[in-house]
Amino acid sequence: MTSVEAVRGPVEVTDLGRTYMHEHVFVLSADVQQNFPEEWGDEDERVADAVEKLKALAAQGVRTIVDPTVIGLGRYIPRIQRIAAQVPELNIVVATGCYTYDDVPFFFHYRGPALDEVVGTEVPDPMVDMFVGDIETGIADTGVRAALLKCAIDAPGLTRGVERVMRAVAKAHHRTGTPITVHTHPGTRTGLEVKRVMCDEEGVDPRRVVLGHSGDTTDVDHLTELAEAGFVLGMDRFGINLDTTFEARADTVVEMCRRGYAEQMVLSQDASCYIDWIDPGVKQMLTQWHYLHIEDEVLPYLRDKGVTEDQINTMLVDVPRRYFEVS
Ligand SMILES: [Zn+2]
């Protein structure tokens, strides 16, 4: 039996239950918050607000959320521990990795492979040991261990920084067996870059990789190509209807189910209790972007369009379980 590390300790994969594979608790610009904390306000109030929102999610029958908040997204585990202790009915699984669309954070600029030319030999990337430490030892003396690896590739494509993080994530995966989630930009087919670098060159099994934000496109032929390559498709931004619509997102899932790919999709919302990336006024316009949207609006729509209860269960329970099972 395989277990998955969650904030409050290990959980058997068979006990993960209904799992949302991409939800944040907080997304924060850490050094802005440290210096301009006015909007964030009172720490206790923020924690209480998160507890309330996560309790409402758990009350819908969701047993586990996977929170891919890593370096670049303001990960701060002591706060998550405080919240998790007050919502014991929900497993919160946390991640390690690095989130960038272009260059690596300045911390890494003159470390590791950046020194290859100066030193005249291949210098190992310190990111790999940092990620492995988060997985095997725990994050920053909290005792909480990361259970997945995260990196990103967006519209700028495979920049040097993006490639460096992607290869570091692949190496940490091989050392630990920990599954991977990649923020992708399906509109520019970046999933194919993930396939080339991470799978073809670094040897990662695509069945252990979620291509996040696959649901941002309606190009079902492209999604079929990625599914055929073996990836898990993250239909994981339900409620973010800025460049798309609720129906477009949902109909893409319906069509992919019709094509037989329920076994390779996961559903989520990429929501958070608080995100400082967006003007609060604009956030208010995204009225469906919250933790309860899938149960309240997406699942009824999918059922109405012929997606079966079995397929829903597959996407919400079986695919997440299999992803965490060591193969
Ligand atoms: Zn996200």
Side-chain angles (χ1 to χ4, degrees):
M1 188 84 70
T2 315
S3 63
V4 180
E5 292 291 332
V7 172
R8 296 173 59 257
V11 179
E12 298 298 337
V13 282
T14 46
D15 293 334
L16 290 174
R18 181 179 282 203
T19 302
Y20 287 179
M21 288 282 280
H22 193 128
E23 305 293 341
H24 301 271
V25 179
F26 299 113
V27 176
L28 298 168
S29 311
D31 53 355
V32 178
Q33 288 293 341
Q34 278 167 27
N35 290 283
F36 302 94
E38 297 81 13
E39 188 184 289
W40 169 262
D42 184 71
E43 174 78 11
D44 290 346
E45 279 175 30
R46 286 284 174 214
V47 168
D49 177 63
V51 167
E52 189 187 320
K53 285 173 174 158
L54 292 169
K55 276 190 174 297
L57 175 63
Q60 287 186 331
V62 174
R63 285 285 150 269
T64 304
I65 59 166
V66 176
D67 180 348
T69 305
V70 293
I71 298 307
L73 295 165
R75 187 184 73 177
Y76 183 59
I77 297 301
R79 184 182 288 131
I80 304 298
Q81 283 179 296
R82 215 184 137 193
I83 291 162
Q86 296 175 65
V87 197
E89 63 272 37
L90 183 74
N91 306 308
I92 304 175
V93 174
V94 299
T96 186
C98 182
Y99 183 88
T100 180
Y101 297 171
D102 39 61
D103 212 339
V104 291
F106 280 107
F107 181 91
F108 297 106
H109 267 214
Y110 298 103
R111 297 174 197 253
L115 305 176
D116 283 2
E117 253 176 60
V118 187
V119 179
T121 175
E122 272 190 36
V123 183
D125 199 322
M127 261 187 263
V128 181
D129 282 340
M130 291 162 84
F131 299 161
V132 170
D134 278 357
I135 292 162
E136 292 184 341
T137 312
I139 299 167
D141 284 333
T142 61
V144 173
R145 289 158 67 175
L148 79 158
L149 286 148
K150 161 94 174 269
C151 59
I153 177 168
D154 203 86
L158 193 72
T159 64
R160 276 177 66 172
V162 162
E163 180 172 355
R164 182 174 156 186
V165 177
M166 201 175 281
R167 291 190 191 279
V169 161
K171 287 181 173 64
H173 163 83
H174 284 306
R175 277 172 54 185
T176 59
T178 303
I180 298 168
T181 195
V182 187
H183 163 113
T184 66
H185 185 263
T188 50
R189 300 175 171 240
T190 53
L192 298 174
E193 296 287 354
V194 177
K195 180 180 182 300
R196 182 172 67 78
V197 173
M198 201 170 255
C199 304
D200 299 347
E201 292 178 18
E202 296 286 343
V204 175
D205 179 346
R207 290 174 303 175
R208 306 299 308 287
V209 181
V210 168
L211 294 179
H213 314 327
S214 290
D216 285 359
T217 187
T218 54
D219 184 348
V220 283
D221 289 337
H222 176 54
L223 294 179
T224 296
E225 178 186 19
L226 297 172
E228 282 300 314
F231 289 105
V232 179
L233 307 178
M235 314 307 272
D236 53 16
R237 275 181 157 175
F238 276 105
I240 308 184
N241 300 324
L242 276 174
D243 303 322
T244 182
T245 63
F246 168 80
E247 288 78 11
R249 284 190 187 281
D251 288 341
T252 303
V253 172
V254 171
E255 173 59 15
M256 290 300 285
C257 282
R258 197 193 62 78
R259 291 185 180 200
Y261 296 111
E263 302 276 341
Q264 286 177 258
M265 286 190 285
V266 291
L267 307 180
S268 208
Q269 298 152 142
D270 202 4
S272 51
C273 298
Y274 178 83
I275 175 168
D276 73 7
W277 289 14
I278 303 167
D279 187 288
V282 175
K283 172 110 196 300
Q284 275 180 10
M285 290 160 57
L286 293 164
T287 53
Q288 293 177 308
W289 195 28
H290 55 78
Y291 292 140
L292 310 183
H293 175 50
I294 285 181
E295 173 68 22
D296 285 348
E297 291 162 289
V298 178
L299 298 184
Y301 184 95
L302 295 181
R303 290 183 187 110
D304 206 47
K305 294 273 179 167
V307 175
T308 67
E309 222 49 55
D310 264 3
Q311 288 172 318
I312 289 171
N313 205 52
T314 296
M315 294 185 282
L316 291 178
V317 180
D318 299 343
V319 180
R321 188 195 66 233
R322 237 178 280 141
Y323 167 82
F324 281 109
E325 269 167 358
V326 177
S327 45

